[in-house]
Amino acid sequence: RLLELAHALWSNFDLRLAGQDELQRLHAAIGRPVQLSALDGWHRVVVDAQDSAQGSGARSQVGLRQPLHASAAGRAMLAYMGPAEQARLLEQPASTQASPKKQPTLASLRGVLDLTRARGYAVDESPGADGSLSIAAPILNSEGKAIGAVSATGPAHATDAALLHGLSPEVIRAARTITHSAGGQYMTIAPRAAPEAGQDFAITSVV
């Protein structure tokens, strides 16, 4: 009975309302465009965003819908799905929406998702359709499964890997705060230090 009540609660959960204050805090803390995405089947949908007043990146698009593999926010959620769910994702027909990222194979995606889960965040170090790079952390429900993600973006011409990874503590903090305020659970993770300039990075995007 308790599980039924929990499922009913999450099915009616307004992620945008729960995350709006923390999204504003994150935007003020890092001074970059930030987005709140919700899981919608095999896609992520941007449900709220705070854009940079200084125009330091492409404007966030509320309502944007993308396949989970095609963004850091989507892969942050995908990493917290079970292996069977991940496999089923790749059985879905390729999206008809424009996307610079091809449908990956399970083998190519597995390492990316394992690394994402170990870090507690996902990164997109290759430019998206809007020319931006991004970092994202998952928002979890009471069963430890992803229902959304918090992400931050920056233009590729002004955002390097070290800067991107350096945003991880604040992005993870925002995701954890929304998770806790919504009654979910979050694994205890210690954000890794920002990589030093010139350091090699693992490939964390699928093209």
Side-chain angles (χ1 to χ4, degrees):
R1 179 59 179 168
L2 288 177
L3 286 177
E4 291 177 359
L5 290 174
H7 281 297
L9 172 63
W10 283 106
S11 65
N12 294 313
F13 179 61
D14 187 339
L15 185 61
R16 187 192 63 80
L17 183 61
Q20 62 184 8
D21 289 344
E22 185 58 23
L23 198 67
Q24 291 174 2
R25 185 208 64 79
L26 176 62
H27 178 249
I30 66 176
R32 290 177 175 273
V34 295
Q35 304 82 33
L36 181 66
S37 296
L39 179 64
D40 180 21
W42 303 114
H43 295 77
R44 70 105 173 195
V45 177
V46 178
V47 296
D48 198 4
Q50 293 287 320
D51 300 313
S52 174
Q54 291 74 32
S56 63
R59 289 187 61 83
S60 308
Q61 300 179 34
V62 173
L64 176 67
R65 189 170 187 265
Q66 292 179 305
L68 290 180
H69 73 268
S71 68
R75 291 193 297 279
M77 290 186 269
L78 189 56
Y80 283 79
M81 292 182 178
E85 291 176 292
Q86 293 171 354
R88 282 200 298 275
L89 165 70
L90 301 181
E91 295 174 358
Q92 305 302 308
S95 173
T96 57
Q97 291 183 267
S99 172
K101 300 183 184 300
K102 298 179 181 178
Q103 184 96 341
T105 64
L106 182 59
S108 66
L109 194 61
R110 182 69 68 197
V112 173
L113 299 181
D114 288 346
L115 181 59
T116 294
R117 187 148 185 158
R119 284 173 166 167
Y121 66 91
V123 296
D124 219 339
E125 293 175 9
S126 61
D130 61 355
S132 65
L133 307 183
S134 61
I135 179 171
I139 298 166
L140 309 179
N141 67 9
S142 58
E143 298 176 341
K145 295 182 179 181
I147 58 168
V150 176
S151 56
T153 61
H157 66 82
T159 307
D160 59 19
L163 191 155
L164 199 64
H165 286 270
L167 297 176
S168 62
E170 285 291 348
V171 173
I172 289 174
R173 175 187 172 186
R176 183 185 291 120
T177 298
I178 297 172
T179 292
H180 283 163
S181 67
Q185 64 180 22
Y186 210 103
M187 294 176 63
T188 300
I189 52 178
R192 297 188 178 185
E196 298 179 359
Q199 181 178 342
D200 291 333
F201 299 95
I203 297 175
T204 53
S205 61
V206 178
V207 296

